[in-house]
């Protein structure tokens, strides 16, 4: 009887996978074409509304190095010369190729056309959008804080622009005087500081609140933090803003880090940059996929994070966000520009404060911020994570604790064990019946106690 049940389950599982494969092929083929159509629709809309053609990542430009540190850029018969300084060269290296190299039916047709047209000349691809964004920085131009027509311009999203504020939004809690220790909380992708402040902060003990100073930040481009339209949201920019907003003004010399999902990458990079300052490292669902030999790291990671499948739904959402520049911009136009409406509906239906703030954090960003952060941080750092983990293992003495929800369908549990294989002293705790969000939400009291124990045991570090 048991054998029959096992075979039946295996049959249905195989059938389900086959249906998912076929359905995904048709759905994503349609999305490939839709994104191509939306590309031209947004070009026209941008021109009509903003009186300017806006570059995107669909059509690659061609570049060739010339003397004097210049790059000759030509696209569709037009040539431009852009002078690159050292900082911009470094920034080019931090830009993920997944921004402009995402295989699709339309992309493959375009490649074949390009091969037939261009022969003989040795060039390599770079994207016009990148060049256009770098031009303003190279020329020393200041970003004009006027939101794009498709972005929200409410006080929450754009209040920083009136003063050209160049620091992140920081929610600080704890003692103002006689601070013993500091804790930095870094949220994940399309989230905000509310992920921590509405869950953990109210549940820390009186003793912890009198001992530790808590800093929960909204990352660059998210929540109440600045959302500059000219930023490429590279790892360097995110780290610089964290240092400028928390570590330097608050005179933070040593600190604990608690990070979730994408925030784990920033936490590791920050720990590597300040190896003598980190007292403990707590990572929740770290997205670490070891790159097999012979694979291109950025492209491999994009396929792992966004597998172009319609099921599970969270994988479908990740695929929309990662593969389709203009489809994801449309989603942001519908959700982020109208986030106050969605917040009101959430309040009305759920009457749950935590869920309301989670929705607010999910909706308060721009497409430019989400698109670049996803590619430049998640995908673009694929080749760096190994060295970060090795540095934490060899140079840092702090404790490393990893939490993962057993039912996490976005970042598999194996990712946490992959981290442990690189840092043997790391402790992995898999929480049963919890997923990517409920690893914190719903168990905030228990998790607050666990964090306090980690910080207490790390006092000697």
């Amino acid at each position: 009887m048991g054998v029959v049940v096992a075979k039946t389950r295996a049959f249905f599982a195989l059938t389900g996978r086959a249906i998912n494969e076929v359905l995904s092929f048709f759905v994503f083929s349609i999305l490939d074409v839709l994104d191509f159509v939306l590309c031209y629709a947004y070009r026209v809309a941008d021109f009509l509304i903003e009186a300017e053609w806006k570059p995107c990542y669909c059509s690659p430009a061609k570049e060739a190095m010339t003397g004097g540190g210049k790059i000759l850029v030509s696209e569709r018969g037009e040539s431009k010369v852009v002078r690159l300084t050292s900082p911009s060269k470094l920034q080019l290296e931090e830009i993920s190729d997944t921004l402009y190299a995402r295989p699709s039916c339309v992309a493959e047709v375009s490649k074949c056309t390009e091969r037939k047209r261009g022969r003989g000349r040795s060039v390599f691809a770079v994207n016009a959008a990148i060049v256009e964004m770098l031009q303003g920085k190279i020329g020393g131009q200041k970003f004009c804080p006027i939101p794009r027509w498709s972005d929200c311009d409410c006080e929450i999203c754009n209040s920083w622009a009136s003063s050209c504020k160049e620091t992140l939004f920081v929610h600080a809690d704890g003692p103002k005087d006689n601070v013993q220790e500091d804790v930095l909380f870094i949220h994940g992708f399309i989230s905000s500081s509310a992920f921590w402040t509405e869950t953990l902060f109210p549940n820390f003990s009186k003793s912890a609140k009198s001992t530790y100073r808590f800093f929960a930040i909204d990352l660059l481009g998210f929540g109440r933090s600045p959302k500059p339209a000219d930023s490429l949201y590279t790892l360097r920019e995110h780290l610089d803003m964290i240092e400028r907003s928390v570590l330097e003004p608050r005179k933070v010399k040593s600190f604990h880090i608690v990070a979730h999902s994408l925030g784990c990458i920033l936490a590791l990079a920050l720990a590597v940059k300040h190896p003598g300052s980190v007292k403990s490292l707590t990572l929740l669902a770290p997205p670490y996929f070891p790159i097999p030999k012979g694979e291109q790291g950025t492209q491999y990671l994009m396929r792992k994070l966004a597998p172009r499948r319609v099921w599970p739904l969270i994988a479908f959402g990740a695929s929309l966000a990662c593969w389709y520049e203009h489809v994801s911009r449309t989603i942001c136009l519908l959700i982020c520009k109208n986030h106050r409406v969605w917040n009101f509906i959430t309040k009305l239906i759920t009457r749950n404060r935590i869920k309301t703030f989670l929705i607010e954090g999910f909706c308060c960003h721009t497409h430019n911020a989400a698109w670049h952060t996803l590619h430049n941080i998640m995908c673009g750092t694929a080749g760096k994570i190994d060295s970060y983990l090795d540095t934490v293992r060899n140079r840092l003495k702090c404790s490393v604790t990893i939490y993962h929800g057993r039912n996490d369908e976005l970042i598999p549990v194996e990712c946490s064990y992959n981290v442990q294989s690189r840092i043997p002293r790391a402790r992995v705790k898999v929480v049963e019946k919890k997923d990517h969000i409920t690893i914190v939400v719903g168990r905030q009291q228990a998790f607050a106690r666990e964090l306090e124990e980690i910080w207490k045991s790390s006092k000697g570090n």
Side-chain angles (χ1 to χ4, degrees):
M1 185 69 179
V3 175
V4 175
V5 172
K7 286 184 177 180
T8 304
R9 286 179 179 174
F11 172 76
F12 281 114
L14 187 62
T15 304
R17 282 196 295 270
I19 293 172
N20 195 14
E21 291 277 347
V22 174
L23 188 59
S24 297
F25 174 79
F26 283 107
V27 169
F28 284 98
S29 295
I30 294 170
L31 287 170
D32 288 342
V33 177
L34 176 62
D35 202 64
F36 178 78
V37 173
L38 285 173
C39 171
Y40 288 94
Y42 276 116
R43 286 188 185 188
V44 173
D46 289 340
F47 181 75
L48 292 177
I49 298 172
E50 299 181 356
E52 184 180 359
W53 294 108
K54 296 291 184 180
C56 66
Y57 290 104
C58 294
S59 55
K62 298 291 183 181
E63 74 170 0
M65 291 301 298
T66 65
K70 295 181 180 180
I71 283 186
L72 172 65
V73 180
S74 61
E75 183 178 20
R76 295 179 183 174
E78 298 181 2
S79 296
K80 305 175 187 177
V81 176
V82 180
R83 181 179 295 278
L84 289 181
T85 60
S86 295
S88 57
K89 282 184 181 177
L90 288 173
Q91 191 153 24
L92 275 174
E93 293 173 1
E94 295 172 1
I95 294 167
S96 174
D97 69 298
T98 56
L99 282 167
Y100 51 87
R102 300 179 308 280
S104 70
C105 298
V106 177
E108 290 303 317
V109 172
S110 300
K111 279 182 185 177
C112 293
T113 307
E114 285 288 326
R115 288 189 194 120
K116 289 179 181 178
R117 286 181 182 175
R119 293 177 182 174
R121 188 177 175 185
S122 177
V123 293
F124 57 99
V126 74
N127 193 272
I130 294 173
V131 174
E132 294 291 341
M133 287 185 176
L134 285 178
Q135 273 185 315
K137 297 185 178 186
I138 295 165
Q141 300 173 12
K142 280 284 187 180
F143 164 64
C144 183
I146 300 174
R148 299 290 304 276
W149 67 269
S150 55
D151 296 332
C152 181
D153 61 354
C154 74
E155 185 177 354
I156 292 175
C157 293
N158 208 46
S159 59
W160 58 272
S162 59
S163 59
C164 292
K165 189 177 181 182
E166 295 184 354
T167 57
L168 302 177
F169 172 81
V170 181
H171 183 113
D173 200 359
K176 294 182 180 180
D177 301 315
N178 300 320
V179 177
Q180 296 182 34
E181 297 187 47
D182 292 307
V183 185
L184 175 64
F185 293 84
I186 307 176
H187 65 76
F189 184 58
I190 52 175
S191 185
S192 73
S193 56
F195 185 77
W196 312 110
T197 60
E198 294 298 322
T199 56
L200 293 179
F201 280 32
N203 287 291
F204 285 126
S205 65
K206 289 183 179 180
S207 173
K209 289 180 179 179
S210 63
T211 303
Y212 303 100
R213 185 170 53 167
F214 305 123
F215 298 110
I217 58 172
D218 286 349
L219 291 174
L220 182 66
F222 298 88
R224 296 173 183 264
S225 284
K227 304 169 180 64
D230 66 340
S231 174
L232 292 171
Y233 295 88
T234 61
L235 183 69
R236 183 186 302 272
E237 288 175 286
H238 278 290
L239 292 185
D240 286 349
M241 287 296 283
I242 293 173
E243 291 171 332
R244 188 187 310 164
S245 306
V246 180
L247 304 188
E248 294 168 5
R250 313 282 181 151
K251 295 180 172 54
V252 176
K253 301 301 181 184
S254 63
F255 52 98
H256 304 269
I257 304 179
V258 181
H260 177 240
S261 193
L262 174 141
C264 295
I265 299 173
L266 298 176
L268 288 168
L270 195 64
V272 168
K273 194 172 182 181
H274 302 273
S277 300
V278 179
K279 304 194 74 172
S280 73
L281 198 55
T282 305
L283 308 176
L284 284 73
Y288 174 52
F289 299 88
I291 311 300
K293 288 184 178 180
E295 288 277 2
Q296 186 181 359
T298 54
Q299 295 291 329
Y300 175 80
L301 192 59
M302 182 171 67
R303 294 194 302 272
K304 294 294 287 185
L305 285 171
R308 286 168 66 93
R309 293 290 178 269
V310 296
W311 191 263
L313 286 177
I314 196 166
F316 180 62
S319 299
L320 288 178
C322 202
W323 288 84
Y324 300 106
E325 180 179 1
H326 304 290
V327 171
S328 59
R329 184 179 177 185
T330 304
I331 294 171
C332 280
L333 174 62
L334 295 174
I335 294 178
C336 300
K337 192 174 178 67
N338 303 292
H339 67 88
R340 288 164 292 184
V341 175
W342 297 112
N343 289 345
F344 174 76
I345 293 173
T346 306
K347 285 180 183 178
L348 199 63
I349 295 175
T350 67
R351 298 186 181 276
N352 184 305
R353 180 181 174 85
I354 291 177
K355 289 182 179 179
T356 301
F357 278 94
L358 287 175
I359 292 296
E360 181 179 305
F362 178 80
C363 295
C364 284
H365 62 272
T366 63
H367 172 253
N368 184 62
W371 179 255
H372 286 93
T373 297
L374 178 60
H375 284 277
N376 287 334
I377 304 301
M378 291 290 280
C379 300
T381 59
K384 301 177 182 179
I385 299 299
D386 284 352
S387 63
Y388 290 165
L389 294 172
D390 290 347
T391 300
V392 172
R393 180 190 64 212
N394 298 327
R395 293 187 57 196
L396 275 71
K397 296 180 180 179
C398 67
S399 64
V400 180
T401 310
I402 306 168
Y403 288 86
H404 216 118
R406 177 71 71 184
N407 299 338
D408 194 329
E409 292 182 321
L410 182 62
I411 308 295
V413 176
E414 288 73 21
C415 287
S416 287
Y417 288 116
N418 291 337
V419 174
Q420 188 184 46
S421 68
R422 207 87 191 188
I423 309 175
R425 74 173 185 273
R427 290 192 308 114
V428 175
K429 181 174 181 179
V430 177
V431 185
E432 301 296 333
K433 299 180 181 179
K434 298 298 178 182
D435 58 28
H436 199 65
I437 301 300
T438 56
I439 187 68
V440 174
V441 180
R443 62 179 299 269
Q444 51 264 29
Q445 290 183 347
F447 188 47
R449 299 288 88 75
E450 290 166 349
L451 285 176
E452 290 178 24
E453 288 300 319
I454 291 172
W455 300 334
K456 285 178 184 177
S457 63
S458 303
K459 282 190 174 181
N461 293 332

